[in-house]
Amino acid sequence: MRAKLSALVICAIAVIFLFMFFLPGEKEKRSHFGQLIVRSGYPVRLPAGQKLEYETILIHKGAVLEFYGDTPAWTQIICYGNFRLEGTIRSKGFEVTGKSLDTIVYNGNRVGHDYDEPTAGGRGGNGGRLQECHQSSCLQLACFSGKRDSLGTGGRGSRGMSNQEAMACANPGKCEECYLCIDQKYKVQGHACDACDNPSNRGPSGGHSSPGKGAAGGSPGRVGGLLYIYVGGDFISHGVIDVSGSPGGRGSDADSNWYSGGGGGGGGAGGNGGAVYLEIIDKGNPSVNIEGGSGGKGGKGGTPHPENGFSVLKGEDGKPGSTGKRGKQIRITQKSPV
């Protein structure tokens, strides 16, 4: 009797062991992925760069599934069954990068995208100055031109002219050393040239005889994200996948109410678009936005002081930045569901 009882206990333990460690394990291979349902009014935000696997996916109309982060990284969305997209999948707003990014994704496919360098930011506006200067005036060489962009950032506007510089323009015999400056990288007549924006070269401080400062350029727009989407079942889509670049920043407005106006800052370049790879059955036609962001607007040039300024010395507006480059959409068509 005791031997039978021991045998029953051993069998029961064996069954429990089998149930705990084998049967659920087989089931967990697929069931733990479950469903992803995103409802309108309850946006889902996840860090970019993950591999997400689900049995089915449903994104309702008006709903948003968003991937975010500081730098771009490939996000993989793997759906073994049906995927219905009525709302929006968004991945954008990443820092500017010139890197080529690639990775190996589901089914062993290699995907890649080269963001390339940012497009050009807008030139900063010229500072307010006399339209015609005496031919022999040293101010013909002065650096009153707005700066070009640097890696998508809008150029800085130039400062305007001071009262003393305007007088020197009409009377070339009264030139000062700093007026001969082309830019700070050059030496003129054996002397190091001060930067033209150096406040010490403005004339009396705090007075309306001084020029308005040039304004800073706008920042470049951010780039779109990187998405790989695999769907083993039907992909039914009336929604949008958005990996577009963001608009460039607006240039700052220049100083006003001085003797002359400074130049407005150039607009920042729009961000470049990202990339979307779709590995789907030949059904469904999602709307994919891979456009580059619009260039930022230039800042306004400064205006002279209404009483103590020189009205013709209005600063030039900054130029707008360039539109970002278009991204990439690749469609890999499956012959049948996996």
Side-chain angles (χ1 to χ4, degrees), residues 157-182:
S158 172
R159 69 174 181 89
M161 294 176 72
S162 68
N163 183 14
Q164 289 83 355
E165 289 162 342
M167 292 173 61
C169 188
N171 302 285
K174 294 185 177 181
C175 283
E176 296 181 15
E177 180 182 314
C178 68
Y179 299 167
L180 295 173
C181 170
I182 298 175

Side-chain angles (χ1 to χ4, degrees), residues 17 77 213 273 337:
F17 180 84
I77 304 175
K213 291 188 297 184

Side-chain angles (χ1 to χ4, degrees), residues 20-78:
M20 289 177 61
F21 293 96
F22 288 96
L23 296 182
E26 291 297 315
K27 190 176 180 182
E28 283 292 316
K29 283 184 179 179
R30 292 292 290 272
S31 65
H32 76 280
F33 298 130
Q35 295 179 321
L36 173 63
I37 300 176
V38 184
R39 294 180 171 84
S40 179
Y42 299 91
V44 173
R45 298 186 75 242
L46 300 171
Q50 300 186 70
K51 181 179 180 181
L52 307 172
E53 300 176 82
Y54 298 97
E55 290 291 339
T56 60
I57 297 177
L58 170 60
I59 301 177
H60 285 272
K61 184 177 182 179
V64 177
L65 173 61
E66 182 174 19
F67 299 97
Y68 67 93
D70 293 327
T71 56
W74 282 100
T75 298
Q76 301 180 52
I77 304 175
I78 312 300

